[in-house]
Amino acid sequence: MLAEIITIGDEILIGQIVDTNSAWMAKELNAIGIKVKQITSVSDDADHIIEALEQAQKRARIILITGGLGPTKDDITKLTLAKYFNMGMRRDEGVLEDVEAIFKRNNRPMIDLNIRQADVPDGCIVLRNKNGTAPGMWFEQGPNIIVSMPGVPFEMMYLMGEEVLPKLTRSFALPFIYHKTILTANLGESFLAQEIADIEDSLPPSIKLAYLPKLGQVRLRLSTSGPDEQKLKDDVEVYVRQIVDKLKPYIVAEEDIALEEAILNIMKEKRLTLSTAESCTGGYIAHLITKHPGCSAVFAGGAVTYSYELKESVLGVQADTLNTYGAVSEQTVREMAEGAIKHFDTDYSVAVSGIAGPDGGTEDKPVGTVWIAVANREKVVSKVFNFGSKRIQNIERSASSALSMVLNLLKEDVN
Amino acid sequence: MLAEIITIGDEILIGQIVDTNSAWMAKELNAIGIKVKQITSVSDDADHIIEALEQAQKRARIILITGGLGPTKDDITKLTLAKYFNMGMRRDEGVLEDVEAIFKRNNRPMIDLNIRQADVPDGCIVLRNKNGTAPGMWFEQGPNIIVSMPGVPFEMMYLMGEEVLPKLTRSFALPFIYHKTILTANLGESFLAQEIADIEDSLPPSIKLAYLPKLGQVRLRLSTSGPDEQKLKDDVEVYVRQIVDKLKPYIVAEEDIALEEAILNIMKEKRLTLSTAESCTGGYIAHLITKHPGCSAVFAGGAVTYSYELKESVLGVQADTLNTYGAVSEQTVREMAEGAIKHFDTDYSVAVSGIAGPDGGTEDKPVGTVWIAVANREKVVSKVFNFGSKRIQNIERSASSALSMVLNLLKEDVN
């Protein structure tokens, strides 16, 4: 069964926002056995919305639309769909109750624009939205299903979870789609491919292998689909075992998790604790770690020390070290890592100090210079990198390299 | 002049990655006067790629394609384009040099898969890529321009910046596209719309107004285009002044910046300093602040204190307070904010302690309970929220509310 996603909004097409809805929706659709054929982003323009909808219906039976359901004039999806499906409008009492409840809860008066959120095309099935004023709308046209949802991520997620996914599951006899991901680090995709060329050549046509490189890591993904879930898993597992065997030194995890999750899993099992001491990454490493539920069993906390003073007072870096070698130096970053172990009383720590850019470089230390140290209670390992002058890239690559170094030290110790 | 973006990759359609390239490209295209009509994501499938390319060419003259240029078997864009344009392949010596240079720099041997990265369709113009092994490829078909680039963001960004955007600028006489954004906080979009209904009605058809709500903030965007840049700006400015006048109490900034940037701008001007004390947001607020160049003039640093021990040792929260009221309490979060002011010696601080979920709630304090305090050297303001059990949402909404509270305290003080 194929679906398409259409996201509506000028803000997407001028690059003012990144469309994160589609990836989330695609993952959820895959989980119930529906493949996404295409994702299309169009502007708040009636003709263009209709063109996209018509073309999508030629390729797929399920069309999920997000965006353009707000109360203001630039939002035209609802009226465009009513026109496209040749429907009149009616006021839905249930939706009106939901809208009233939201305004009551927030202690705000309701105005006409809000009341009109309860008007819906008279031939659609209303999907009530407890998280916002715009309801979801479910249309059927011949064998096809078209669903319109708000573009606000947590409203869309609520409607998908509570209404759309359960209704789709009931509407079709769906197969299983199975993706198995192997996370590797420290070897480029072409070398990985060369290592497992024989295994790749022996894959049956029903199993597809993809390579996803990102920041020093490569994800290998095996994908297949069919009616028997267990058989799919068993079939794929045969090749997973061969691949893992062949790539042993580079395997981080046999699941689609982030590097920091792999670290958390190992440390949790070994009852080890971790802290962070960040300068140029500014809390990003701590954020990556604390995004994950259950991280508190491993992660005690950390410091973001931008100023010299905090490097001294919070992490115990010597004033001498800072004055002699500067904040971006091997000496400082090692003292930061040691300070984190000592002051935060953890088994491991990771410290980063660099010049994230775009300015602030010197001849000796050009923008992009980043020192990283990882430590445990016995030793400190430090390394210098240059990640270029683009600030966000620099922060992301620093964090990724820092996490790789933690994983490597951890593997050395626990193996 | 219209462009379309086609992103290629199964990883997008199964939701394994979020396509961030398109938004970046769209913004850059707008900046040189090119509008994006549609963004389309398709799988690594030759027929589908060709269908998308044919349809895009009916709507737009410039088609930018990313993805599917890696060295492994799942990457088929290059051969698909060669077939579509009816071209043979040739080895490009310049690209081969670039590939060799990359392997030499990384001290890695080259294998046949890497060498083949230098093979290109024989009728395309090669755009050399200093950041990766896949070159960009520029095709011309009738009046249309089709460009293929790697999907790795920093490689695509390099090629866009160095090659594609300059070449597009030289190829066409492009108009100016002008977007002006006004950032507001503390009022919902329907109320904003009601307040400025008269102004909205008086807008000429050439100026489009859009409302972009997100986490308690609403961006109002006025968009227009034409040949005379100064005239566009002057025309829009008339309405900007009226809107800002009308919405004065809710205006945060007259530019498209994030809440934390508005805070940094005000604090920098007033020579004020800021620190953070985070528990459930786990470094995310510090990360939001330190993403921005020049933040070090304002931001001294902060702590991520997950454990009781670090709340005590780093921030000076009383053990008594933690034991009597718990970590997620008004008392604790106020002591965290005060501790940050004192220990990090800053003018302002913001502290967050909550239960980010999905587990860890109690009857008194359900999952999603978040206490936030903001402080300056004279006072502390604290507030409780409930942001629900979805961890990432909870972290994002906590951060956004915390930043709003900083801005409000700041505005109270500096006005």
Side-chain angles (χ1 to χ4, degrees):
Chain A
M1 182 62 53
L2 294 179
E4 293 215 1
I5 297 170
I6 299 174
T7 61
I8 299 172
D10 292 354
E11 64 275 21
I12 300 170
L13 295 165
I14 68 167
Q16 196 166 23
I17 68 153
V18 170
D19 164 29
T20 54
N21 283 346
S22 297
W24 188 90
M25 291 165 80
K27 208 176 234 179
E28 296 291 319
L29 288 168
N30 272 212
I32 63 165
I34 297 171
K35 287 186 190 181
V36 176
K37 176 78 179 163
Q38 181 169 317
I39 299 166
T40 310
S41 300
V42 301
S43 61
D44 296 298
D45 171 282
D47 293 338
H48 196 185
I49 293 171
I50 288 171
E51 182 196 312
L53 190 49
E54 277 172 348
Q55 293 190 349
Q57 286 201 73
K58 287 179 200 156
R59 287 181 301 254
R61 278 186 61 190
I62 301 163
I63 320 292
L64 302 185
I65 304 170
T66 63
L69 297 182
T72 52
K73 283 187 191 166
D74 51 320
D75 290 306
I76 60 163
T77 302
K78 190 160 70 178
L79 291 177
T80 302
L81 291 175
K83 194 179 139 202
Y84 176 71
F85 291 114
N86 216 355
M87 294 175 185
M89 297 296 282
R90 67 174 183 84
R91 182 149 300 171
D92 187 278
E93 291 306 318
V95 175
L96 192 59
E97 273 172 33
D98 295 338
V99 175
E100 284 168 347
I102 287 170
F103 279 83
K104 210 171 156 189
R105 208 191 310 149
N106 294 322
N107 244 325
R108 290 237 159 110
M110 252 172 83
I111 59 178
D112 190 48
L113 280 182
N114 307 124
I115 293 166
R116 271 187 270 155
Q117 289 290 77
D119 295 344
V120 294
D122 56 21
C124 79
I125 299 167
V126 167
L127 309 176
R128 286 170 70 173
N129 175 6
K130 300 280 174 206
N131 280 351
T133 61
M137 295 171 287
W138 175 289
F139 301 88
E140 295 180 2
Q141 188 170 53
N144 292 359
I145 291 169
I146 298 98
V147 186
S148 164
M149 289 171 280
V152 178
F154 75 102
E155 298 185 30
M156 175 280 291
M157 288 174 186
Y158 173 86
L159 282 168
M160 284 287 285
E162 298 296 318
E163 299 282 351
V164 180
L165 294 168
K167 266 176 87 75
L168 289 175
T169 306
R170 288 195 301 272
S171 304
F172 302 102
L174 296 165
F176 294 94
I177 298 176
Y178 182 58
H179 301 294
K180 172 78 185 184
T181 295
I182 302 168
L183 175 61
T184 70
N186 302 325
L187 193 66
E189 60 173 328
S190 56
F191 299 99
L192 291 170
Q194 195 186 33
E195 287 285 324
I196 60 169
D198 291 353
I199 306 170
E200 184 164 2
D201 288 338
S202 74
L203 286 172
S206 59
I207 301 179
K208 207 171 166 183
L209 173 62
Y211 297 79
L212 305 171
K214 192 187 163 195
L215 298 172
Q217 303 150 46
V218 179
R219 285 173 160 68
L220 305 182
R221 188 190 67 234
L222 293 153
S223 300
T224 186
S225 69
D228 182 344
E229 190 176 12
Q230 195 53 51
K231 190 178 174 312
L232 296 179
K233 290 184 176 172
D234 294 344
D235 289 353
V236 167
E237 189 61 17
V238 174
Y239 299 97
V240 169
R241 296 273 52 88
Q242 294 178 24
I243 292 171
V244 168
D245 224 48
K246 194 84 186 188
L247 301 178
K248 202 155 220 113
Y250 312 106
I251 301 293
V252 174
E254 290 183 32
E255 50 187 328
D256 193 10
I257 56 176
L259 201 50
E260 67 274 9
E261 275 182 285
I263 292 169
L264 287 170
N265 290 346
I266 297 170
M267 296 190 83
K268 199 167 187 175
E269 204 202 307
K270 303 279 174 186
R271 296 174 176 277
L272 295 167
T273 56
L274 177 67
S275 61
T276 51
E278 304 182 65
S279 189
C280 68
T281 47
Y284 186 59
I285 297 174
H287 167 59
L288 289 179
I289 293 168
T290 56
K291 264 165 72 174
H292 302 288
C295 64
S296 58
V298 170
F299 186 64
V304 181
T305 55
Y306 246 53
S307 65
Y308 271 38
E309 291 74 19
L310 292 197
K311 286 187 183 77
E312 293 173 37
S313 68
V314 179
L315 294 169
V317 176
Q318 300 295 314
D320 257 10
T321 308
L322 287 164
N323 293 330
T324 311
Y325 303 103
V328 180
S329 66
E330 179 163 26
Q331 290 79 0
T332 295
V333 83
R334 290 178 76 98
E335 287 188 25
M336 286 170 70
E338 288 165 335
I341 295 270
K342 192 174 146 198
H343 293 274
F344 306 154
D345 190 23
T346 56
D347 301 310
Y348 282 75
S349 73
V350 54
V352 185
S353 185
I355 304 158
D359 312 311
T362 62
E363 205 166 310
D364 287 11
K365 293 174 190 168
V367 176
T369 304
V370 177
W371 273 100
I372 303 179
V374 294
N376 58 23
R377 299 198 196 256
E378 278 86 46
K379 70 173 161 196
V380 188
V381 180
S382 51
K383 213 168 154 184
V384 68
F385 298 87
N386 191 304
F387 295 128
S389 65
K390 301 237 160 82
R391 189 174 183 88
I392 303 286
Q393 255 176 47
N394 191 310
I395 292 172
E396 286 178 2
R397 295 177 72 182
S398 297
S400 172
S401 300
L403 290 167
S404 275
M405 285 174 65
V406 173
L407 186 74
N408 290 342
L409 183 62
L410 199 55
K411 275 182 146 180
E412 242 178 62
D413 293 351
V414 300
N415 283 343
Chain B
M1 184 60 55
L2 294 178
E4 294 215 358
I5 297 169
I6 300 175
T7 62
I8 298 172
D10 291 355
E11 64 276 19
I12 300 170
L13 295 165
I14 69 168
Q16 195 166 21
I17 66 153
V18 171
D19 165 29
T20 54
N21 283 346
S22 298
W24 188 89
M25 291 164 79
K27 208 175 236 178
E28 296 292 318
L29 288 168
N30 271 213
I32 62 164
I34 296 171
K35 286 187 190 179
V36 176
K37 176 76 180 166
Q38 180 169 315
I39 299 166
T40 310
S41 300
V42 300
S43 61
D44 295 298
D45 171 282
D47 294 339
H48 196 185
I49 292 171
I50 288 171
E51 183 196 311
L53 189 50
E54 276 173 349
Q55 292 190 350
Q57 286 201 71
K58 287 180 201 155
R59 288 180 299 255
R61 276 187 60 190
I62 301 163
I63 320 293
L64 302 185
I65 305 171
T66 63
L69 297 182
T72 53
K73 283 187 190 167
D74 52 321
D75 291 305
I76 60 162
T77 302
K78 189 161 69 179
L79 292 177
T80 302
L81 291 175
K83 194 179 140 200
Y84 176 71
F85 291 113
N86 216 357
M87 293 176 185
M89 299 295 282
R90 65 173 184 86
R91 182 150 300 169
D92 188 277
E93 291 306 317
V95 175
L96 192 59
E97 273 172 35
D98 294 339
V99 175
E100 284 168 346
I102 286 170
F103 280 83
K104 208 172 159 190
R105 208 192 311 149
N106 294 321
N107 242 325
R108 290 237 159 111
M110 254 173 84
I111 58 177
D112 189 50
L113 281 182
N114 307 123
I115 294 167
R116 271 187 270 156
Q117 289 292 80
D119 295 344
V120 294
D122 54 21
C124 78
I125 299 167
V126 167
L127 309 177
R128 285 170 70 173
N129 174 5
K130 301 279 175 206
N131 280 350
T133 62
M137 294 170 288
W138 175 289
F139 301 88
E140 296 182 1
Q141 189 171 53
N144 292 359
I145 291 168
I146 299 99
V147 185
S148 164
M149 287 171 279
V152 177
F154 74 104
E155 298 184 30
M156 175 281 291
M157 288 173 184
Y158 173 84
L159 281 168
M160 284 286 286
E162 297 296 318
E163 300 281 351
V164 181
L165 295 167
K167 264 176 88 74
L168 288 174
T169 307
R170 287 196 300 271
S171 303
F172 304 102
L174 296 166
F176 294 94
I177 299 177
Y178 183 58
H179 302 293
K180 172 79 186 182
T181 295
I182 302 167
L183 175 62
T184 71
N186 302 325
L187 193 66
E189 61 173 327
S190 56
F191 299 98
L192 291 171
Q194 195 184 33
E195 287 285 324
I196 60 168
D198 290 354
I199 306 170
E200 184 164 3
D201 288 338
S202 74
L203 286 172
S206 59
I207 300 179
K208 207 170 165 183
L209 173 62
Y211 298 79
L212 305 171
K214 192 188 163 191
L215 299 171
Q217 303 150 46
V218 179
R219 284 172 162 67
L220 305 181
R221 189 191 65 234
L222 293 153
S223 299
T224 186
S225 68
D228 182 345
E229 188 175 13
Q230 196 52 51
K231 189 179 175 308
L232 296 179
K233 289 184 177 172
D234 293 344
D235 288 352
V236 166
E237 189 60 18
V238 174
Y239 299 97
V240 169
R241 296 272 52 86
Q242 294 179 23
I243 291 171
V244 168
D245 222 49
K246 194 85 186 187
L247 299 178
K248 201 154 220 113
Y250 312 106
I251 302 293
V252 174
E254 289 183 34
E255 48 186 329
D256 192 11
I257 56 175
L259 201 49
E260 66 274 7
E261 274 182 285
I263 292 169
L264 286 170
N265 291 345
I266 298 170
M267 295 189 84
K268 200 167 187 173
E269 204 201 308
K270 302 279 174 189
R271 295 174 177 276
L272 294 166
T273 56
L274 176 67
S275 61
T276 51
E278 303 183 64
S279 189
C280 69
T281 46
Y284 187 60
I285 298 174
H287 166 59
L288 290 178
I289 294 167
T290 56
K291 264 165 70 175
H292 302 289
C295 64
S296 58
V298 170
F299 186 64
V304 181
T305 54
Y306 247 53
S307 66
Y308 271 40
E309 290 74 20
L310 291 198
K311 286 187 182 76
E312 293 173 37
S313 67
V314 179
L315 295 169
V317 176
Q318 299 295 314
D320 257 12
T321 308
L322 287 165
N323 294 328
T324 312
Y325 303 103
V328 180
S329 66
E330 180 162 26
Q331 291 79 358
T332 295
V333 84
R334 291 177 75 97
E335 288 187 25
M336 286 169 69
E338 287 165 335
I341 294 270
K342 194 174 143 199
H343 294 274
F344 306 153
D345 190 23
T346 56
D347 301 309
Y348 282 74
S349 73
V350 54
V352 184
S353 185
I355 304 159
D359 312 308
T362 62
E363 204 165 314
D364 287 12
K365 294 175 190 167
V367 177
T369 304
V370 178
W371 272 101
I372 303 178
V374 295
N376 58 23
R377 299 198 196 258
E378 277 86 46
K379 71 174 161 196
V380 188
V381 180
S382 51
K383 213 166 153 185
V384 68
F385 298 86
N386 191 305
F387 294 128
S389 64
K390 301 237 160 84
R391 188 173 184 89
I392 303 286
Q393 252 176 51
N394 190 309
I395 292 172
E396 285 178 2
R397 296 176 71 182
S398 297
S400 172
S401 300
L403 291 167
S404 274
M405 285 173 66
V406 173
L407 186 76
N408 289 342
L409 183 61
L410 199 57
K411 276 181 145 181
E412 241 178 62
D413 294 351
V414 299
N415 284 344

